[in-house]
Amino acid sequence: MNALTLENVSYTYPGGTAPVVKNASYAFESGKLYAVVGPSGSGKSTLLSMLAGLDVPGEGDVTLGEDNLKSLDLDKYRREGVSIIFQAFCLLPLLTVRENVCLPMEMQGIPENQARVRAAEALVKVGIEESKHKRFPSALSGGEQQRVAIARSLCSGAPVLLADEPTGNLDGENTRIVMDILRRLAHEEGRCVIVVTHDPEVADTADLVLRMKDGVLTGE
Ligand code: ADP
């Protein structure tokens, strides 16, 4: 099933003279792990911003399932359609692990006790044991912090998970653990997981590898 579709998508930055994403078309499917690779400046982050609904393509269409993003409430799409994992984890340092995972659910209006149950389940799913749920992020390793960020993104229930260099700050062992989790989320939960990476070993673990070069996207 197609989760997210790009159709002839181009993007030029305001004031720019040429598009940095050129006529990109691709159908991302549910249940698969994708890697997007390419040299620095080739347009990967810009592409990810459009998939995330943070930037709107100048030309072309992005479609979630059957819904064109042009016809969707973009705030809702960003809350419920996609979730994003960043290289820098982006956890709030003054909230505990559990509070970090609960916060977006509370902002969505999910009652606190329900959010806590979901957070605990998601944290256990990514291998963060209960004794660590009340710690602050600084008391966790980098790999554990990234797993907390994944748990946080899972709780929205979004069908599409976007990850921008999610292993960029991790050592080899934690890279493997994080990629195993992302693969499981695709294969066992049917999510569409799209990882932007410069690391060929990370790309090797994906089901499909897409390449960006000078703004042109090519698939396998
Ligand atoms: P990548 O993620 O592959 O490194 P980017 O999508 O960040 O590539 O950048 C693609 C091109 O767009 C680059 O030439 C970059 O300089 C340019 N670019 C990125 N962000 C902006 C911006 N905010 N304004 C203008 N140009 C930008």
Side-chain angles (χ1 to χ4, degrees):
M1 194 177 79
N2 287 354
L4 202 54
T5 309
L6 295 167
E7 232 180 311
N8 304 117
V9 164
S10 296
Y11 187 85
T12 305
Y13 279 100
T17 50
V20 297
V21 173
K22 299 170 188 161
N23 209 27
S25 294
Y26 196 79
F28 293 96
E29 293 176 19
S30 307
K32 289 201 173 143
L33 172 63
Y34 295 88
V36 180
V37 298
S40 181
S42 60
K44 303 183 298 296
S45 302
T46 308
L47 184 80
L48 204 70
S49 297
M50 288 188 286
L51 295 175
L54 295 168
D55 273 316
V56 178
E59 287 167 48
D61 294 297
V62 181
T63 311
L64 176 71
E66 302 285 303
D67 299 320
N68 193 315
L69 257 57
K70 284 177 183 156
S71 63
L72 290 180
D73 171 352
L74 275 188
D75 284 336
K76 192 169 153 64
Y77 172 74
R78 288 190 287 258
R79 276 196 311 272
E80 297 170 14
V82 290
S83 53
I84 312 178
I85 300 156
F86 300 96
Q87 176 172 353
F89 321 139
C90 299
L91 300 174
L92 295 170
L94 298 180
L95 296 184
T96 65
V97 162
R98 185 173 69 192
E99 287 165 346
N100 264 282
V101 178
C102 283
L103 185 67
M105 290 189 274
E106 285 165 14
M107 288 162 72
Q108 276 180 279
I110 294 169
E112 193 181 332
N113 52 355
Q114 218 175 305
R116 281 186 177 206
V117 172
R118 266 211 235 170
E121 283 170 3
L123 283 164
V124 169
K125 194 185 283 182
V126 297
I128 303 293
E129 66 221 47
E130 210 176 329
S131 63
K132 295 181 178 167
H133 296 190
K134 287 188 184 166
R135 287 194 194 171
F136 291 106
S138 57
L140 265 54
S141 72
E144 288 171 330
Q145 289 185 50
Q146 190 59 300
R147 284 188 268 152
V148 173
I150 294 172
R152 178 180 57 186
S153 74
L154 289 182
C155 286
S156 72
V160 178
L161 210 57
L162 304 173
D164 194 359
E165 298 282 4
T167 59
N169 286 345
L170 304 180
D171 61 20
E173 173 64 6
N174 280 299
T175 292
R176 194 188 56 70
I177 292 170
V178 162
M179 291 311 296
D180 279 349
I181 292 170
L182 294 178
R183 194 174 324 101
R184 238 177 43 222
L185 294 172
H187 294 176
E188 294 174 14
E189 295 196 1
R191 303 201 198 221
C192 170
V193 184
I194 304 170
V195 176
V196 165
T197 182
H198 68 277
D199 182 343
E201 285 183 27
V202 167
D204 277 350
T205 67
D207 297 316
L208 289 143
V209 180
L210 308 181
R211 290 175 201 284
M212 277 296 265
K213 194 170 176 227
D214 297 330
V216 176
L217 180 72
T218 46
E220 281 185 337

